[in-house]
Amino acid sequence: QVQLVESGGGLVQAGDSLRLSCAASGRTGSGYAMGWFRQAPGKEREFVAAIDWSGASTAYAETIKGRFTISRDNAKNTVYLQMNSLKPEDTAVYYCATRAAFRSSPKAEEYEYDYWGRGTQVTVSS
């Protein structure tokens, strides 16, 4: 059973930075794409960023491009989301997800992901 546990969320002010972490367990190796999604109150969940199994290929939503960076440490089975210049509209629950396909590429569509974490709250005050 694959488990994903997010951490690093919190309450910050506009312009601040946060780094989210997502630790994966329950399967051998780290050859799987991972992604970050978010869901703001009253809105549907949306894609934020994704990274392929090796870390060489990434994808970002236009709304956060240039401010957020996704990375991974395969030795720790952990993926990170560095969020800079945070805005109030970044307030949301942030979810980590991973694909079941080995050596998979980063995808923006929710249906491509097979396992999800429970989320971590990020609140940005103005």
Side-chain angles (χ1 to χ4, degrees):
Q1 181 76 13
V2 177
Q3 290 189 327
L4 302 175
V5 179
E6 303 96 334
S7 61
L11 172 63
V12 297
Q13 294 187 330
D16 285 351
S17 298
L18 273 178
R19 189 177 80 157
L20 305 183
S21 300
C22 173
S25 62
R27 64 184 174 190
T28 301
S30 54
Y32 305 91
M34 299 187 75
W36 287 97
F37 292 76
R38 68 185 182 185
Q39 186 168 22
K43 296 187 177 182
E44 293 188 353
R45 189 158 57 186
E46 64 176 3
F47 170 72
V48 176
I51 189 166
D52 78 336
W53 64 279
S54 70
S57 179
T58 58
Y60 293 96
E62 287 297 323
T63 54
I64 57 85
K65 195 174 289 186
R67 296 190 297 123
F68 292 8
T69 302
I70 189 171
S71 62
R72 65 190 299 158
D73 183 338
N74 286 342
K76 297 181 179 179
N77 285 334
T78 300
V79 66
Y80 304 98
L81 185 67
Q82 178 67 43
M83 305 186 294
N84 299 330
S85 302
L86 283 161
K87 304 176 182 180
E89 50 264 44
D90 294 319
T91 295
V93 177
Y94 284 72
Y95 297 91
C96 174
T98 188
R99 302 183 65 193
F102 187 61
R103 294 197 173 186
S104 40
S105 57
K107 297 290 186 182
E109 297 80 10
E110 285 191 43
Y111 66 81
E112 295 281 3
Y113 293 84
D114 304 278
Y115 305 101
W116 293 80
R118 293 187 174 185
T120 185
Q121 176 71 46
V122 172
T123 304
V124 185
S125 64
S126 58

